[in-house]
Each structure stands twice: as structure tokens, then as C-alpha cells.
Amino acid sequence: MEGMYRVLFAFVVVGLLTNKALATQHVVGGSQGWDESTDYTKWASAQTFKVGDQLVFKYTPGLHSVVELPNESAYKNCDVGSALDSMNSGNNAVKLSKAGTRYFACGTIGHCDSGMKLKVTTVSADASSSPGSTPSSSSSSSSSSSSPASTSAASASFPFPSILSMASLLAISMLFMF
């Protein structure tokens, strides 16, 4: 009976860890990071942003910053004075906590007008969507910013999360059976 409890406990632990591991950290701009040379519309269209994922902005502090804009009008007009949030550490993470569209720009004068801005559409975590798809909801998500220690471990989505979950569960249950 004790062995059965161990297996059950292992399933619970692996299930919790797997859900956390499936969230993706999107380094904004890829290897270039948050700078003036990246086409952010093109970069975002190649991504699928899901609830629970994070945007990671990596840039040179003092040269660039990140501001979250309240709406599409502020985004289109580069109205950085209406920012909801402002970040300037050079390594900021923003959690995508609910489905909807969010808008970001560089707060340095002239950079947004030069194209240093990003529109992100987040879909529900269980949505099976292709990169660049749009959800039916257009509400904005709450912001959570911090400086992550490392972003390389989860920089890409694993294409078969159910296989990962099953393999992890099988490995742990076999460990307790033998």
C-alpha cells in the first residue's frame, strides 16, 4: 500500500512540474534582443504566445527601456507618455497572465517611431494555435515584471507536451515499482 502512495505522489509532483516546464520564455527579438535593428512585427508573427508564457526583454540599460502601452492607439502613435508600466533594468520578464493583446515600446525618445515596438496577442494555454493567430478576446493581461536569472532553459516550446508528461510519469512510476 505504501508503494501505491509513492506512485500517486510521484504523479502529482511530475504533473505540477510538467505544467511549469511547458510555459515558454520568449526572448523578445530572439538573439538580437530588444534593439532598434529587429522587425518586431515579423518576430511576433513567428511566435505563439500562450497564457502562462513570459516575454523577456534583454537590452542595454540607459540606451533602451520597455514601456507597456494601454491600447492600440497609444501603440500606433508611440504615445510612451501614457505608459501603464515602465521597466529599465536591461533584463525584464513580463508574464502573460491572460488572453488578449498587449502593447510594448521602447521609452527612449525616437526609438518607438523607428519601429522599436511590439504588439503581442496571447491565446489561452489550452488553445492549439499556429504562430501569429489571434484570440477572440481582446482584453489586456496584468503585468508582472522581474529580472529573470536565466532564460535559455525554456526559450522554445516543446512540440509534444503530452509525450513529455507521459514519459515523465512512466519513468517515475517505474522507479517506484522496481
Side-chain angles (χ1 to χ4, degrees), residues 26-130:
H26 301 274
V27 176
V28 176
S31 61
Q32 294 291 104
W34 183 238
D35 71 0
E36 291 177 275
S37 68
T38 302
D39 179 343
Y40 293 102
T41 301
K42 183 177 179 181
W43 176 82
S45 70
Q47 310 294 315
T48 299
F49 303 102
K50 293 187 176 187
V51 172
D53 288 357
Q54 285 187 333
L55 297 176
V56 179
F57 292 88
K58 292 186 174 193
Y59 55 94
T60 304
L63 180 59
H64 300 298
S65 65
V66 179
V67 294
E68 182 167 3
L69 302 173
N71 53 43
E72 189 157 13
S73 175
Y75 170 79
K76 286 181 177 178
N77 296 314
C78 290
D79 182 7
V80 297
S82 66
L84 299 172
D85 192 12
S86 181
M87 299 164 270
N88 58 16
S89 75
N91 191 18
N92 303 104
V94 177
K95 185 169 182 162
L96 302 173
S97 56
K98 62 181 178 178
T101 303
R102 293 174 74 175
Y103 307 92
F104 301 91
C106 181
T108 303
I109 295 172
H111 289 195
C112 178
D113 292 317
S114 298
M116 200 170 168
K117 58 185 181 176
L118 173 67
K119 178 180 178 179
V120 173
T121 301
T122 306
V123 297
S124 64
D126 57 357
S128 59
S129 59
S130 59

